[in-house]
Amino acid sequence: QVQLVESGGGLVQPGGSLRLACASSGHTLDYYNIGWFLQGPGKEREGVSYNSRTDGSKHYSDFVKGRFTISRDNAQNTVYLQMNNLKPEDTAIYYCAAAGMVLFDWGDPDEYAYWGQGTQVTVSS
């Protein structure tokens, strides 16, 4: 069982930045494909970004492309999501997820076996 813990959420003004972290104790995240998802109030969980463990490729949803960056720090066993130029519509609970298998659709939550508890991001003036 891979346990994931997100941190770094909070309240930020529009145009501001946050860096979310996804850490695991006891399991090396470098062995897993990692995705970041968000879930707004009353909405379904949707993919934000993804980093493949196989080829290192990085993928972003259209609404965050150019603003968010996913990265790994293997020494810290942590995956980050740097979020810049935040907008009110980015307000949501953000989750990281891990999958040990090759994914057909990185944005499909059902393809991930392990999830963190989520961290709240609120963008408001």
Side-chain angles (χ1 to χ4, degrees), residues 1-5 23-27 29 114-116:
Q1 184 77 7
V2 179
Q3 293 185 328
L4 304 174
V5 179
S24 176
S25 58
H27 291 84
L29 290 184
Y114 308 105
W115 290 85

Side-chain angles (χ1 to χ4, degrees), residues 2 4-6 22 29 32-37 45 49-51 70 72 79 94-100 103 106 108-118:
V2 179
L4 304 174
V5 179
E6 302 95 337
C22 174
L29 290 184
Y32 295 88
N33 301 301
I34 301 294
W36 282 97
F37 289 77
R45 202 166 293 189
S49 183
Y50 166 76
N51 183 207
I70 191 170
R72 293 183 188 247
V79 178
Y94 283 72
Y95 299 88
C96 66
L103 305 184
W106 69 265
D108 182 355
D110 292 338
E111 298 220 18
Y112 295 80
Y114 308 105
W115 290 85
Q117 83 291 348

Side-chain angles (χ1 to χ4, degrees), residues 35-53:
W36 282 97
F37 289 77
L38 64 79
Q39 187 167 20
K43 297 183 179 180
E44 294 187 352
R45 202 166 293 189
E46 56 183 312
V48 174
S49 183
Y50 166 76
N51 183 207
S52 167
R53 64 166 292 272

Side-chain angles (χ1 to χ4, degrees), residues 43-72:
K43 297 183 179 180
E44 294 187 352
R45 202 166 293 189
E46 56 183 312
V48 174
S49 183
Y50 166 76
N51 183 207
S52 167
R53 64 166 292 272
T54 304
D55 60 10
S57 61
K58 300 177 181 180
H59 303 266
Y60 302 93
S61 61
D62 288 343
F63 61 89
V64 305
K65 200 171 293 182
R67 300 188 296 125
F68 291 11
T69 303
I70 191 170
S71 63
R72 293 183 188 247

Side-chain angles (χ1 to χ4, degrees), residues 74-106:
N74 291 332
Q76 297 296 323
N77 201 29
T78 301
V79 178
Y80 297 100
L81 184 69
Q82 177 68 43
M83 307 188 297
N84 297 329
N85 191 21
L86 282 160
K87 304 175 181 182
E89 50 265 42
D90 295 322
T91 295
I93 300 174
Y94 283 72
Y95 299 88
C96 66
M101 307 296 290
V102 174
L103 305 184
F104 293 100
D105 179 2
W106 69 265

